[in-house]
Amino acid sequence: MSTPIETDVLIVGGGPAGMMCGITAAQFWPARRVLLVRPEEQAVVPCGIPYIFGTLGGTDEDLAGRAPFLSFGGKILIGHIASVDRNHRIATLEDGTHIAWNRLVLATGSTPYLPPIDGRELPGVFQIHKDYDYLDTLLGETLPGISRLAILGGGFIGVEFSDELRKRGIEVHLIEQRPHLLAGSFDTDASLAVEARLASLGVKIHTGATVTAIEADASGQRVGGVRLDDGRNLPVEGVLIAIGTQPDTRLAADMGLTLSRSGGIWVDGFQQSREDSQVFAVGDCAHKQDFFTRHASHALLASQAAAEGRIAGMNLYGLKLPRTNAGTIAVYASQIDDLAFGVAGLTEHTAREIGFEVFIGDARLPDHHPASMPGTHEVHCRLVFDANSERLIGGQVIGGATTAEILNTLAVAIQLRATATDLASFQFGSHPRLTAPVHPIVAATGEALRRRLSPS
Amino acid sequence: MSTPIETDVLIVGGGPAGMMCGITAAQFWPARRVLLVRPEEQAVVPCGIPYIFGTLGGTDEDLAGRAPFLSFGGKILIGHIASVDRNHRIATLEDGTHIAWNRLVLATGSTPYLPPIDGRELPGVFQIHKDYDYLDTLLGETLPGISRLAILGGGFIGVEFSDELRKRGIEVHLIEQRPHLLAGSFDTDASLAVEARLASLGVKIHTGATVTAIEADASGQRVGGVRLDDGRNLPVEGVLIAIGTQPDTRLAADMGLTLSRSGGIWVDGFQQSREDSQVFAVGDCAHKQDFFTRHASHALLASQAAAEGRIAGMNLYGLKLPRTNAGTIAVYASQIDDLAFGVAGLTEHTAREIGFEVFIGDARLPDHHPASMPGTHEVHCRLVFDANSERLIGGQVIGGATTAEILNTLAVAIQLRATATDLASFQFGSHPRLTAPVHPIVAATGEALRRRLSPS
């Protein structure tokens, strides 16, 4: 064996989980060497990918910076890890290079799920891989030949791509099996607001519809249309399949690590693997547990991945900072045109399905005040409380530019287990140019308590 | 005595505290009659007052709505309460009308402090009274004759007015005794950022300067200038005095209620007066206690006033909703041009002055990501933690449009007594068009812990 590269911490994967783990490890354990290995020369910001195709205008506008990691002394090596020998603490790259480590963090991510649908192999069918060269080719070569596109899947990726691609003049058909877009994430009102906005921008929405096959054009050589379960054929030159992702656990499985029944690498509250306290897993490849139920969570989010990277990074050499992963809250937001929308925790629908008895509060306010202030949007805040404990268990916000930060306030309140009584008269700051006159969380909590005490 | 008007709840004053108390009382005690008496036919949004003179363009653009209160069955009567007889539960208006009540809420507000400075009686000298007619006269008659103005006091009112009035083409001199603008509210970096922005917009800033007299012009009939303690005279036609406010407690004093040593009406955690559990006080007229120290707090904020109104409103007829006033956090924000800035809780300076041993974290990030996203601003977040408990005790944010909602997240975290460990790996949502890649609170907390564990 050739002389191995020596490191203390070896991180496999350079997405948000791996990079955040690297930054945290380099910050908190400055005497340790931290090496991150990733296959990509250039890494992209995953949440920014849809915007490469419209708002940003190019792949180079969406590069993830490595300066913070390097500035704390971290190193980056471009390569593919082929195998890991846990007994000897050695990883081997595809080119034969060996790396000796004493802490290993798997951050191998996820890949888009490709369903076994007829025609999936035709040129013109694509998915979204978080890879610079792939995306650059998509932008420069695939898309210019497409004037009509079908998107399979009305989740966040489908919704964001439909808006960005219609900005390029492409006729977009967005197809979702469930009765509404974003049905897994939002209660119906919010889905309706997003559907109305997308439709007004020219996106053709097909909900309650299933694609039964992707069909070739007359040449038989490329996509010509998609067949729906009602028998219709929608003529399109391109198909984006965005119906979910699956954890990439090949390396972990080869290493003999336990995978959870739902497919991610089993980890404890410190992101440690079951078999080896020196091997960690973070991000999309790691099993996620729901904050409220302990059931598996299937929300794979960059923000959650980064949180897991921080937890592992802090706890690599002893649990000095006993911050554990309490489970996924699932906080996410997006924006179509100037309509922003997001969710933290459980929707009313999901909470009831799980079995919570809930009470609900809604508030609609201007997001600046008085409403005559320039740039004012309406903000609609809907909160879900557990009726027995009065604890906040979820919230949805539809509004303007401050929507996601209002959601982050909800996220903190959920994680700190705030009750309706805590929130009903909370002190918040307000300012005409920056906020609603009453904080939407306070207004919605007040309304929830009022309905509960005086149902009418 | 003529037949009195009958009500259950009588609220005296129609600012944010009184109106919020009225809305809350009408919502939570629907069987009770709620009457609000205020002197103004039209009430203005207090935080919006500076913007009447620039951004909004008129007093009518800053009216406070009464629709929510009326929609829940509340009534409004325009008049001045001259006296209150607590024994017989009767209030008397200046016009002789009597009102019988069983719960009384004083929300009589505050008035600007007028220092005993020579020349204060000259025409051209004014203050900011929260009164529609006064403000309308100021806008329509006083300001048009002023091309140069001195503002005494570099707090929030002085800063906001200086920006709005310079937009009218007025040459504004902003004069502050302390070494920096907003010195009571911010650590020095934030003050410097605000000073730099205001100066770039043409405001003349005079810090460390005291006005020793307001001087008349050659006619002797109106303002001609202000004299500074270094002997200079600044020629101006107008002077705005904005150096503080004092609680309006005349009615409370006449009623024999205890006032605190700092001048507000003494209240308990439910906003009840000391002498009478059926008499409450809320907002600027009520004593405020600091959340951290129990010392008197002198931050008189509309948001705090509204929080007190909610607390009293919920607890008027029994402490069914035992939400108490835990003390003032002081959360506030403002914006000059596109530079927003705000604070929640203690600054580093104030915390040390009180005697806390603190550790500090700073983070600077783009408020969208990648930073190439349109509309991206830098956000600077500075957090102050108590070294013994690791509890968050304060934070300052300078940034773009999301600044105040980031502060509100800090406010929730402070009130729920979050520690640095809680915040260091919190789950937040992120989105390229709406947030920073890492939440500024998480980034600053990480930096605070890093500096604490590995000081370098």
Side-chain angles (χ1 to χ4, degrees):
Chain A
M1 191 174 96
S2 61
T3 311
I5 296 170
E6 302 256 350
T7 186
D8 293 303
V9 180
L10 173 61
I11 299 170
V12 186
M19 190 55 86
M20 187 55 71
C21 184
I23 291 171
T24 309
Q27 285 183 316
F28 282 83
W29 309 100
R32 303 289 180 164
R33 294 161 297 177
V34 182
L35 175 67
L36 185 150
V37 177
R38 69 182 190 198
E40 314 88 7
E41 181 62 48
Q42 299 281 15
V44 293
V45 176
C47 326
I49 292 174
Y51 306 105
I52 291 172
F53 300 94
T55 307
L56 291 174
T59 319
D60 286 334
E61 304 304 314
D62 189 43
L63 296 181
R66 48 187 165 183
F69 177 52
L70 300 179
S71 75
F72 284 105
K75 307 276 185 219
I76 294 178
L77 178 67
I78 307 304
H80 285 265
I81 303 273
S83 65
V84 173
D85 174 349
R86 281 206 286 121
N87 293 329
H88 298 96
R89 305 295 191 207
I90 293 284
T92 305
L93 269 66
E94 286 184 352
D95 69 2
T97 306
H98 298 293
I99 303 172
W101 51 267
N102 57 53
R103 293 293 183 282
L104 179 73
V105 181
L106 296 172
T108 48
S110 60
T111 46
Y113 173 65
L114 183 61
I117 187 170
D118 279 352
R120 66 186 179 279
E121 72 296 338
L122 285 168
V125 179
F126 61 95
Q127 297 194 284
I128 301 303
H129 295 277
K130 296 169 226 163
D131 178 85
Y132 177 90
D133 293 329
Y134 176 88
L135 294 166
D136 211 44
T137 305
L138 197 57
L139 178 64
E141 298 177 19
T142 313
L143 282 178
I146 294 174
S147 63
R148 294 169 300 182
L149 177 86
I151 300 179
L152 277 54
F156 274 85
I157 294 177
V159 163
E160 293 179 350
F161 267 92
S162 67
D163 186 39
E164 293 296 307
L165 294 178
R166 67 93 197 157
K167 290 181 187 167
R168 302 177 72 84
I170 295 176
E171 178 183 304
V172 176
H173 294 267
L174 181 56
I175 304 164
E176 167 59 44
Q177 291 189 328
R178 283 179 284 196
H180 291 289
L181 299 182
L182 303 172
S185 307
F186 287 100
D187 287 327
T188 306
D189 322 9
S191 293
L192 289 171
V194 174
E195 289 169 12
R197 183 59 65 101
L198 278 180
S200 79
L201 296 168
V203 174
K204 316 290 183 200
I205 298 169
H206 309 266
T207 48
T210 303
V211 173
T212 55
I214 301 169
E215 297 179 343
D217 67 2
S219 76
Q221 300 303 305
R222 13 180 328 117
V223 170
V226 294
R227 179 73 58 186
L228 301 182
D229 55 350
D230 65 2
R232 279 187 300 157
N233 175 288
L234 300 177
V236 295
E237 297 85 38
V239 176
L240 163 56
I241 302 180
I243 60 170
T245 55
Q246 48 196 7
D248 188 342
T249 55
R250 186 194 55 77
L251 199 58
D254 289 351
M255 289 167 64
L257 301 181
T258 298
L259 305 187
S260 76
R261 272 179 286 271
S262 63
I265 302 167
W266 191 96
V267 289
D268 69 8
F270 301 102
Q271 306 297 137
Q272 284 176 334
S273 67
R274 187 180 179 87
E275 282 72 22
D276 194 330
S277 65
Q278 290 174 238
V279 176
F280 296 71
V282 296
D284 286 3
C285 68
H287 176 69
K288 313 230 174 303
Q289 179 169 296
D290 181 79
F291 179 80
F292 304 98
T293 65
R294 284 203 215 168
H295 285 277
S297 167
H298 299 285
L300 300 185
L301 300 167
S303 53
Q304 172 66 21
E308 295 177 3
R310 279 189 291 275
I311 290 166
M314 289 180 191
N315 290 303
L316 286 168
Y317 288 93
L319 309 181
K320 288 194 192 161
L321 293 151
R323 174 66 192 167
T324 63
N325 187 341
T328 301
I329 305 279
V331 193
Y332 40 121
S334 187
Q335 191 182 36
I336 298 297
D337 202 21
D338 67 349
L339 180 79
F341 45 94
V343 59
L346 302 174
T347 61
E348 177 181 3
H349 177 80
T350 308
R352 290 193 194 277
E353 205 170 55
I354 291 169
F356 280 103
E357 184 188 340
V358 301
F359 62 103
I360 305 290
D362 284 280
R364 289 173 192 275
L365 297 157
D367 69 351
H368 298 70
H369 65 279
S372 46
M373 270 282 159
T376 299
H377 284 69
E378 185 187 68
V379 56
H380 174 196
C381 178
R382 151 169 273 232
L383 301 183
V384 183
F385 293 93
D386 168 48
N388 294 300
S389 65
E390 281 211 342
R391 270 176 53 191
L392 177 68
I393 57 175
Q396 291 156 79
V397 181
I398 308 175
T402 56
T403 297
E405 295 301 358
I406 295 171
L407 278 165
N408 283 335
T409 304
L410 283 176
V412 168
I414 292 170
Q415 287 167 87
L416 294 174
R417 299 172 201 275
T419 67
T421 303
D422 290 329
L423 296 173
S425 63
F426 246 96
Q427 287 175 54
F428 290 98
S430 75
H431 186 272
R433 296 179 66 182
L434 300 166
T435 72
V438 178
H439 197 285
I441 296 174
V442 171
T445 304
E447 180 59 12
L449 286 172
R450 186 191 71 79
R451 284 191 210 159
R452 186 178 199 207
L453 298 168
S454 330
S456 59
Chain B
M1 188 175 95
S2 61
T3 311
I5 296 171
E6 302 257 347
T7 186
D8 295 302
V9 180
L10 174 62
I11 298 168
V12 186
M19 189 55 84
M20 187 56 70
C21 185
I23 292 171
T24 309
Q27 285 183 317
F28 281 84
W29 310 100
R32 304 289 181 164
R33 296 162 297 180
V34 183
L35 176 67
L36 185 151
V37 177
R38 69 182 191 199
E40 315 89 5
E41 181 62 49
Q42 299 282 15
V44 293
V45 176
C47 325
I49 292 172
Y51 305 105
I52 291 172
F53 300 94
T55 307
L56 291 173
T59 318
D60 286 333
E61 305 302 315
D62 189 45
L63 296 180
R66 49 187 164 181
F69 178 54
L70 299 178
S71 75
F72 284 104
K75 309 273 185 221
I76 294 178
L77 179 68
I78 307 304
H80 285 264
I81 303 271
S83 65
V84 174
D85 175 347
R86 280 205 288 122
N87 293 331
H88 298 94
R89 305 298 191 204
I90 293 284
T92 305
L93 269 65
E94 286 185 352
D95 69 4
T97 307
H98 298 292
I99 303 172
W101 51 269
N102 58 54
R103 293 293 183 281
L104 180 74
V105 181
L106 297 172
T108 48
S110 60
T111 44
Y113 173 67
L114 183 61
I117 188 170
D118 279 353
R120 65 186 179 281
E121 73 297 336
L122 285 169
V125 178
F126 61 96
Q127 297 192 283
I128 302 303
H129 295 278
K130 295 169 230 167
D131 178 87
Y132 178 91
D133 293 330
Y134 176 87
L135 294 168
D136 211 44
T137 304
L138 197 57
L139 177 65
E141 298 177 20
T142 313
L143 283 179
I146 294 174
S147 63
R148 293 170 299 182
L149 178 85
I151 301 179
L152 277 52
F156 274 85
I157 294 177
V159 163
E160 293 179 350
F161 267 92
S162 67
D163 186 38
E164 294 296 309
L165 294 177
R166 66 92 196 158
K167 290 180 188 168
R168 303 178 71 85
I170 295 175
E171 178 182 306
V172 176
H173 294 266
L174 181 56
I175 304 163
E176 167 59 44
Q177 290 188 329
R178 283 179 285 194
H180 291 287
L181 300 181
L182 303 172
S185 306
F186 287 98
D187 286 328
T188 306
D189 318 9
S191 292
L192 289 172
V194 173
E195 289 170 10
R197 182 62 63 104
L198 278 179
S200 79
L201 295 168
V203 173
K204 317 289 184 200
I205 298 170
H206 308 265
T207 49
T210 303
V211 172
T212 54
I214 300 168
E215 297 179 344
D217 66 3
S219 76
Q221 300 302 306
R222 13 180 327 117
V223 170
V226 295
R227 180 72 59 187
L228 300 183
D229 54 351
D230 65 4
R232 279 187 299 156
N233 176 288
L234 299 177
V236 296
E237 297 85 37
V239 175
L240 163 55
I241 302 180
I243 59 169
T245 56
Q246 49 197 5
D248 187 342
T249 54
R250 185 194 56 77
L251 199 58
D254 288 351
M255 289 167 65
L257 301 181
T258 300
L259 305 187
S260 75
R261 271 179 287 270
S262 63
I265 303 167
W266 191 97
V267 288
D268 69 9
F270 302 101
Q271 307 296 138
Q272 283 176 335
S273 68
R274 187 181 179 89
E275 282 71 23
D276 193 331
S277 64
Q278 290 175 236
V279 176
F280 296 72
V282 296
D284 285 4
C285 68
H287 176 68
K288 313 231 174 301
Q289 179 169 296
D290 182 78
F291 178 82
F292 304 97
T293 64
R294 284 201 214 169
H295 285 277
S297 166
H298 299 284
L300 300 184
L301 299 167
S303 53
Q304 172 65 22
E308 295 178 2
R310 279 190 292 275
I311 290 166
M314 288 181 192
N315 290 304
L316 285 168
Y317 289 93
L319 308 181
K320 288 192 193 165
L321 292 152
R323 175 68 193 167
T324 64
N325 187 341
T328 300
I329 304 279
V331 193
Y332 40 121
S334 187
Q335 191 182 37
I336 298 298
D337 202 21
D338 67 350
L339 181 79
F341 44 95
V343 60
L346 302 174
T347 60
E348 177 180 1
H349 178 80
T350 308
R352 290 191 193 277
E353 204 170 56
I354 291 169
F356 280 102
E357 183 190 338
V358 300
F359 63 102
I360 304 292
D362 283 280
R364 289 173 192 274
L365 296 157
D367 69 352
H368 298 69
H369 67 282
S372 45
M373 271 281 161
T376 298
H377 284 68
E378 186 188 68
V379 54
H380 174 195
C381 178
R382 151 168 273 232
L383 301 182
V384 183
F385 294 92
D386 167 48
N388 294 300
S389 65
E390 280 213 343
R391 271 177 51 192
L392 178 69
I393 58 175
Q396 291 157 79
V397 181
I398 309 174
T402 57
T403 297
E405 296 301 357
I406 295 171
L407 279 164
N408 283 335
T409 303
L410 282 176
V412 167
I414 292 170
Q415 287 167 85
L416 294 175
R417 300 173 201 273
T419 66
T421 303
D422 290 329
L423 296 173
S425 63
F426 245 97
Q427 287 174 55
F428 290 98
S430 75
H431 186 271
R433 296 178 66 182
L434 300 166
T435 73
V438 178
H439 197 287
I441 296 172
V442 170
T445 304
E447 181 58 14
L449 286 172
R450 187 190 71 81
R451 281 191 212 159
R452 185 178 199 207
L453 297 168
S454 326
S456 58

